[in-house]
Amino acid sequence: MDRFPLWRRILRLPLPRKDRETAPADVDAELEFHLHMRVRELMAQGTPESEARDEALRRFGDLSEARATLIRQNEHRADRRRVMVWLEDLVQDLGHALRGLRRRPILTLTAITTLALGLGLTTGVLAVVNRLVLNPLPYPGAERLAPVLLASNESALRISPELRMATAWRARLAGTEWVEAYDSQELLLEDGETAELVQTRSVTPGALPALGARIVLGRGIEPSDTVAGATPVALLAWSTWQRRFGAAPSALGSSVRIDGRVVSVVGVLERGFDLTPLDGTARAEFWLALGGPGSDERSVNVLVMRQPGVSTASLTGELRTALSAAGITSDFIERFPPMAVDPAESADRGRERTLWLLTLAVGLVLAVACANVAALLLGQAALRAGELRVRIALGAGRGRLMRQLLTEAGLLGVLGGLGGMAVAWSALWLTRRSRPENLLTLDDASLDPVVLLAAGGLTLLIALLFGLAPAWSASRVETPNVFGGRLARAFDTRFGRSFRSLLVIGQLAASLVL
């Protein structure tokens, strides 16, 4: 017995149905008919009845292969017919929904604006949460990434290690995939008679490939760029290439003067890549080579990629052993031994709690918006008594009425979702303009595919939620009401009254919490 006949009639998805189960019986009956006709034809030509069927089968060929072919053709034809009927019904429902929304412009604009504000704010906050909480380090294998610091045994003071330590760890650590280093500095960029401070990052040759950075033009920093006598080289950030060089390929090979040195431009980094999520500094305009003579004692940021299953505690022990094996020992290292840090453990929990509370708040705003739209549609459905009366009189069933009203609600949801994307983009733009100075990673919050997919699913879900109650109320109309002119009373049932009361209570409660 079909437990969900109403929902299947509402959705009317083009899925395989019982006609596929009856296809073999239909094919067998058709083949038997043709065989019977051939037997009668042979008997009319003088073939004895005892031999006629055997001869008919011989002339027909492989009966099992013909049966299988015909069954496949019948199933394919039935599936195609179901899809075409479903698409025709969908187009018809969408056309009717568009005409209905156009006849009610005030309701349509009110519902779309309400949904756009609720969905837009929710999507904007989801983008921020996705960037700052769910994906704080947008690098490959970020969950195994471990910055290395020198931590005091007597206080919470932590300082950066030296480049020679990173070199020793790269050669001796067994529980890591790679060890790289970088440094961030503001250096003087000289351009003729003008000069300005620009943000730069110096990286070891393997750092950018290890962190997943792509070179879109030219080449990256190579080990040969750090040997004695090598020409100083630089990579351009995407924004620097666009702004200072007009995105011209001729930027490769040009020279700039940074910190008193003439540096040759050898490549351009991909758009959006930076190390701001790691150290919180401003975006770099130029990327320089780190290493070479005279830089062993330079303080740098060291990054280690742990192998799967290696904890930060065991890695910390390896760090100390590797320094001893490399002969890098001193009283200072005894007082400030190296320590691997798990970024997840050092996250700002207070900021995360604040963001989750903000997500809850905008979720309540969205709930209030959905309740408002549901109330509008419920009242509008009661006012459409005449239209629904005519549809029922013409033979529209309960499932058909619900499907039509849900289509209208879904269309409102889609239009509200599109408006919500504009609101979300505007909200993110305002957030970036007004962000705190110490929260530079907010600049990376965007409507990426993950956020858009979540927003799309949320849009479909709320469209179903706010459209379900009006559609259900409309479907509860009994046939006598059609002739008695009391269709509007179908919306004054215990269900309708209870639902309206819940909407009012929920809206007041959510507003009070906000």
Side-chain angles (χ1 to χ4, degrees):
M1 181 177 179
D2 194 350
R3 296 177 57 190
F4 307 102
L6 177 61
W7 296 112
R8 292 188 177 180
R9 289 199 302 271
I10 294 171
L11 298 178
R12 293 285 298 276
L13 296 177
L15 301 177
R17 298 188 181 182
K18 292 183 178 180
D19 49 0
R20 294 194 65 166
E21 300 175 3
T22 60
D26 295 340
V27 169
D28 289 341
E30 185 73 16
L31 290 175
E32 185 62 33
F33 171 76
H34 284 288
L35 283 175
H36 179 68
M37 296 300 295
R38 182 60 60 86
V39 168
R40 291 185 59 183
E41 179 182 346
L42 291 173
M43 290 175 62
Q45 296 175 359
T47 305
E49 182 177 357
S50 59
E51 302 176 5
R53 184 170 182 82
D54 293 337
E55 179 63 20
L57 287 172
R58 186 185 67 78
R59 293 186 181 183
F60 196 88
D62 191 341
L63 186 62
S64 60
E65 182 180 354
R67 180 178 183 274
T69 301
L70 289 173
I71 289 176
R72 285 196 302 269
Q73 290 177 350
N74 280 3
E75 290 177 349
H76 177 71
R77 188 161 49 249
D79 291 342
R80 185 171 56 185
R81 184 169 55 252
R82 278 192 299 272
V83 170
M84 294 304 298
V85 171
W86 183 80
L87 289 176
E88 290 175 359
D89 288 346
L90 179 61
V91 171
Q92 184 181 15
D93 288 343
L94 287 175
H96 185 81
L98 282 172
R99 291 191 297 272
L101 295 180
R102 190 169 55 188
R103 288 195 302 268
R104 299 179 291 275
I106 296 179
L107 171 71
T108 302
L109 290 177
T110 302
I112 291 176
T113 302
T114 303
L115 289 175
L117 290 174
L119 283 169
L121 292 177
T122 304
T123 303
V125 171
L126 285 177
V128 173
V129 170
N130 179 61
R131 181 63 190 83
L132 299 184
V133 179
L134 302 180
N135 189 29
L137 298 177
Y139 309 111
E143 69 282 357
R144 295 185 284 115
L145 196 62
V148 177
L149 298 170
L150 303 181
S152 171
N153 290 324
E154 302 171 355
S155 66
L157 179 63
R158 298 180 180 183
I159 59 178
S160 299
E162 298 173 349
L163 182 58
R164 60 176 180 153
M165 298 179 183
T167 303
W169 290 326
R170 184 183 298 115
R172 291 172 173 81
L173 289 181
T176 63
E177 294 183 2
W178 51 260
V179 179
E180 301 295 341
Y182 74 95
D183 188 22
S184 302
Q185 289 181 308
E186 279 192 338
L187 299 178
L188 191 66
L189 173 67
E190 301 176 54
D191 185 8
E193 297 180 356
T194 62
E196 63 174 308
L197 288 174
V198 295
Q199 185 70 38
T200 66
R201 296 196 197 280
S202 300
V203 294
T204 50
L208 293 178
L211 291 170
R214 293 187 303 107
I215 306 299
V216 296
L217 187 66
R219 67 172 179 87
I221 295 174
E222 299 176 351
S224 58
D225 296 323
T226 61
V227 301
T231 301
V233 298
L235 299 178
L236 301 177
W238 175 275
S239 58
T240 306
W241 182 48
Q242 298 285 317
R243 187 177 65 258
R244 295 183 182 272
F245 295 88
S250 59
L252 294 183
S254 61
S255 298
V256 292
R257 191 173 185 85
I258 300 178
D259 197 29
R261 298 184 303 162
V262 177
V263 180
S264 177
V265 176
V266 295
V268 178
L269 271 177
E270 66 176 324
R271 184 175 187 174
F273 179 85
D274 212 308
L275 302 183
T276 300
L278 286 169
D279 58 12
T281 57
R283 290 182 176 275
E285 293 196 43
F286 296 90
W287 297 73
L288 310 175
L290 176 62
S295 60
D296 284 349
E297 297 183 359
R298 179 175 175 177
S299 295
V300 295
N301 300 289
V302 178
L303 295 176
V304 175
M305 177 61 73
R306 296 172 287 157
Q307 291 183 354
V310 176
S311 65
T312 53
S314 62
L315 180 58
T316 296
E318 286 191 50
L319 292 171
R320 300 175 183 179
T321 302
L323 288 184
S324 299
I328 304 177
T329 58
S330 65
D331 293 339
F332 177 80
I333 296 178
E334 290 297 324
R335 292 173 50 209
F336 290 87
M339 178 182 67
V341 179
D342 188 345
E345 296 177 357
S346 59
D348 188 343
R349 301 302 179 188
R351 186 177 70 185
E352 291 186 4
R353 284 193 295 271
T354 301
L355 287 172
W356 284 121
L357 284 174
L358 181 60
T359 304
L360 175 62
V362 297
L364 290 176
V365 172
L366 182 59
V368 171
C370 292
N372 287 333
V373 175
L376 286 173
L377 294 182
L378 192 63
Q380 185 63 36
L383 295 175
R384 295 170 62 184
E387 175 191 339
L388 297 179
R389 186 183 303 124
V390 171
R391 290 176 65 83
I392 294 176
L394 292 176
R398 184 179 181 185
R400 184 62 170 153
L401 281 179
M402 286 193 69
R403 187 154 62 100
Q404 178 59 55
L405 293 177
L406 283 176
T407 301
E408 294 183 13
L411 187 58
L412 276 178
V414 171
L415 295 175
L418 293 176
M421 294 303 101
V423 173
W425 184 89
S426 302
L428 285 178
W429 180 81
L430 289 174
T431 300
R432 287 192 288 263
R433 291 291 298 270
S434 59
R435 64 163 172 75
E437 290 295 330
N438 63 343
L439 207 55
L440 295 174
T441 48
L442 264 181
D443 291 343
D444 295 329
S446 62
L447 302 179
D448 60 19
V450 174
V451 174
L452 291 176
L453 183 62
L458 188 62
T459 299
L460 293 178
L461 176 62
I462 65 173
L464 177 63
L465 290 178
F466 71 67
L468 189 58
W472 178 261
S473 296
S475 70
R476 294 170 66 86
V477 176
E478 299 295 336
T479 304
N481 289 337
V482 176
F483 304 101
R486 300 187 303 274
L487 184 62
R489 295 185 184 177
F491 301 93
D492 196 28
T493 61
R494 179 181 299 176
F495 171 82
R497 291 192 297 271
S498 300
F499 184 76
R500 286 196 297 270
S501 299
L502 287 176
L503 284 181
V504 174
I505 294 172
Q507 287 174 313
L508 289 174
S511 300
L512 181 60
V513 172
L514 288 171

